[in-house]
Amino acid sequence: QQPVQSPQAVILREGEDAVINCSSSKALYSVHWYRQKHGEAPVFLMILLKGGEQKGHEKISASFNEKKQQSSLYLTASQLSYSGTYFCGTAEYDYKLSFGAGTTVTVRA
Amino acid sequence: KAGVTQTPRYLIKTRGQQVTLSCSPISGHRSVSWYQQTPGQGLQFLFEYFSETQRNKGNFPGRFSGRQFSNSRSEMNVSTLELGDSALYLCASSLEVHTDTQYFGPGTRLTVL
């Protein structure tokens, strides 16, 4: 079941904040966030697990509302390097990842 | 540490042919997953291998198959190619479990004519 991402696109100026949402109609085990720049492979940003555990290695924060099966990715004080397409991947208890359609983020100077 | 490598990077085939794509994971990683990325369907999960066993499979026809070798390298095969198989095929490796960080390779761009 493919998760729904919103918004489809967002344009920011450096220093501005944005939120990307990801929702599923299924009970989720984990939510994964990736960023992909044009012509490059996706890069892992964060995993959020049912029960509250989070793993991430970027200065980007996210939340996972287990009751609503929703996750949000917070881009704070955006930098030019934040530009790209952000994908959320959701896994139910079968561990198969389903990806959203992506949110294109453009950060301008 | 070397990253995930995929070969070939680009491939052009004709309908009806078959193709084999290769993925070498990061040293020490035992799990390899394959994904198909197209403009229309986005990123879709194909399958996952761990210790030479297919651990999970997405909703793709039987023309798509894969395997993993004892050194964790993985191959993906698509038989009887169709125009709709044109896509970027991405491989990702992780240490062991589903919740480990996945590292993606650069992908193989397959064009079916």
Side-chain angles (χ1 to χ4, degrees):
Chain A
Q1 192 81 7
Q2 191 176 22
V4 176
Q5 275 186 248
S6 63
Q8 285 186 319
V10 60
I11 298 175
L12 303 166
R13 291 211 177 271
E14 271 188 297
E16 290 183 339
D17 303 336
V19 180
I20 301 171
N21 299 302
C22 174
S23 64
S24 174
S25 59
K26 300 288 187 179
L28 299 177
Y29 174 79
S30 63
V31 180
H32 306 230
W33 286 97
Y34 296 87
R35 178 174 62 217
Q36 185 176 29
K37 293 182 182 282
H38 185 68
E40 299 179 9
V43 173
F44 164 80
L45 295 176
M46 181 167 285
I47 289 177
L48 301 102
L49 304 175
K50 183 177 173 65
E53 186 179 354
Q54 296 186 3
K55 299 181 190 179
H57 63 73
E58 287 257 351
K59 292 182 181 178
I60 291 175
S61 63
S63 64
F64 178 23
N65 186 322
E66 296 175 30
K67 289 183 179 177
K68 294 184 176 181
Q69 307 306 323
Q70 290 177 351
S71 178
S72 296
L73 186 72
Y74 304 97
L75 304 181
T76 305
S78 58
Q79 305 169 19
L80 293 176
S81 61
Y82 286 10
S83 292
T85 301
Y86 289 75
F87 294 97
C88 73
T90 56
E92 300 167 41
Y93 286 88
D94 60 1
Y95 306 121
K96 295 181 188 179
L97 270 180
S98 296
F99 291 91
T103 296
T104 302
V105 173
T106 304
V107 181
R108 295 180 174 163
Chain B
K1 220 181 222 185
V4 179
T5 57
Q6 291 187 246
T7 57
R9 292 292 312 279
Y10 302 90
L11 207 49
I12 299 175
K13 292 285 187 179
T14 55
R15 279 179 297 176
Q17 286 187 309
Q18 77 164 28
V19 66
T20 299
L21 312 182
S22 180
C23 171
S24 292
I26 291 172
S27 177
H29 285 196
R30 297 167 64 191
S31 175
V32 173
S33 297
W34 287 89
Y35 301 90
Q36 181 196 64
Q37 187 174 33
T38 60
Q41 299 296 320
L43 262 171
Q44 295 186 87
F45 169 73
L46 279 158
F47 23 66
E48 180 196 5
Y49 287 88
F50 178 77
S51 290
E52 301 178 67
T53 302
Q54 187 179 83
R55 189 159 63 175
N56 231 327
K57 189 176 191 302
N59 300 321
F60 278 81
R63 301 184 296 106
F64 292 80
S65 63
R67 58 179 177 168
Q68 187 181 34
F69 302 95
S70 58
N71 61 357
S72 293
R73 190 177 70 86
S74 177
E75 286 182 348
M76 192 194 98
N77 185 76
V78 187
S79 61
T80 319
L81 284 166
E82 300 177 359
L83 294 179
D85 297 334
S86 294
L88 179 66
Y89 289 89
L90 292 160
C91 155
S93 78
S94 60
L95 273 172
E96 291 192 7
V97 299
H98 309 93
T99 53
D100 287 328
T101 302
Q102 284 197 328
Y103 295 88
F104 281 85
T108 293
R109 173 74 63 186
L110 172 64
T111 302
V112 182
L113 303 176

